[in-house]
Amino acid sequence: MDAIPLKIDVVSDVVCPWCIIGYKQLHKALAETPHNFDVSLTWHPFELNPNMGDEGENLREHLAKKYGTTKEQSVSARARLTALGESLGFSFDYFDEMRMVSTFRAHQLLHWAHSQGRQTELKLALFAAFFSERQDVSKIDVLVAAAAHVGLAADEARQLLCDARFARAVRDEQRYWLAREVHAVPTFMLNDSYPIPGAQDARTFLRILDKAAEMQAA
């Protein structure tokens, strides 16, 4: 049986906990589906906080200011995410001094990683760096280390971050998805036809994978 082509586009940010949760649910669905898919997955940039300064903000204070989240709600949400992440094989290590940071440099690095065939590996490394390893993914040294960890050239990674050669390309891509009414992440798009907003559970992804397979067979 020939593999079914499956193009997956994921609009996300590396400091978005629901983005890694959604990816893990998608990954689980792909492992469980009876269909033989030939998957091509591309990550696209979205900044939860495009105006975030270099110093960042305390995460709990940031959420309170942006969404009106109380301390009790924050504690509850962190516990829920930690438990859900653990069930999917991802570790959230929330701590009181955790800061929300700019991700524009991270998206430039991911843009380059796509051309090097290492984009998903780098994306997962950056999720882990921010949520599991207490690292500041706005810092060039952290980004370069993540690139090297997944087999990318550290010297080239540092140079492209310093000269910002992919800044315009990232901005153009952000505008493209905003023009397609993507205003929240994660957003998954399957075969340019099936938009899936939010971190759905694996059953939802399985249902849509079935639909995509049926359309290919029709």
Side-chain angles (χ1 to χ4, degrees):
M1 180 179 174
D2 293 337
I4 303 168
L6 181 65
K7 178 176 179 282
I8 303 176
D9 295 285
V10 189
V11 187
S12 74
D13 202 353
V14 299
V15 295
C16 165
W18 293 109
C19 291
I20 181 58
I21 292 293
Y23 172 78
K24 287 289 189 178
Q25 297 282 23
L26 170 63
H27 193 265
K28 181 179 179 181
L30 287 169
E32 295 177 355
T33 182
H35 305 292
N36 178 24
F37 285 112
D38 179 15
V39 177
S40 171
L41 188 147
T42 304
W43 298 88
H44 301 282
F46 187 98
E47 290 177 88
L48 289 173
N49 303 285
N51 299 314
M52 181 63 68
D54 290 342
E55 71 283 359
E57 292 182 2
N58 177 275
L59 179 58
R60 186 169 283 157
E61 293 174 2
H62 170 79
L63 294 175
K65 182 169 64 176
K66 187 173 183 179
Y67 303 112
T69 306
T70 66
K71 182 177 180 180
E72 291 73 21
Q73 289 171 327
S74 181
V75 169
S76 176
R78 291 180 179 195
R80 179 186 175 202
L81 282 164
T82 299
L84 185 54
E86 184 175 356
S87 74
L88 294 166
F90 185 82
S91 175
F92 287 98
D93 179 21
Y94 284 105
F95 58 104
D96 287 343
E97 295 78 27
M98 192 170 186
R99 301 184 73 76
M100 180 60 73
V101 298
S102 170
T103 56
F104 187 46
R105 286 192 182 118
H107 289 303
Q108 294 173 59
L109 192 66
L110 286 160
H111 181 90
W112 169 67
H114 181 261
S115 69
Q116 306 299 305
R118 292 284 187 277
Q119 192 186 41
T120 293
E121 293 92 334
L122 179 62
K123 186 80 172 188
L124 296 179
L126 292 175
F127 279 133
F130 183 71
F131 286 113
S132 309
E133 300 163 7
R134 301 190 175 192
Q135 297 190 50
D136 182 344
V137 293
S138 71
K139 303 300 184 186
I140 288 177
D141 285 347
V142 170
L143 295 171
V144 170
H149 178 72
V150 300
L152 293 164
D155 290 346
E156 188 172 355
R158 185 177 298 278
Q159 185 59 46
L160 72 89
L161 290 170
C162 289
D163 64 28
R165 71 187 69 167
F166 295 119
R168 178 174 293 182
V170 169
R171 291 294 188 221
D172 288 345
E173 199 170 358
Q174 288 174 323
R175 282 191 286 269
Y176 170 82
W177 288 102
L178 288 170
R180 297 189 71 177
E181 298 300 324
V182 174
H183 298 290
V185 290
T187 295
F188 300 83
M189 182 73 73
L190 275 58
N191 285 342
D192 297 316
S193 301
Y194 303 99
I196 307 172
Q200 304 295 333
D201 60 26
R203 288 173 298 178
T204 299
F205 281 114
L206 279 167
R207 178 174 53 80
I208 298 171
L209 288 171
D210 284 344
K211 187 182 295 186
E214 290 169 6
M215 287 298 294
Q216 291 279 17

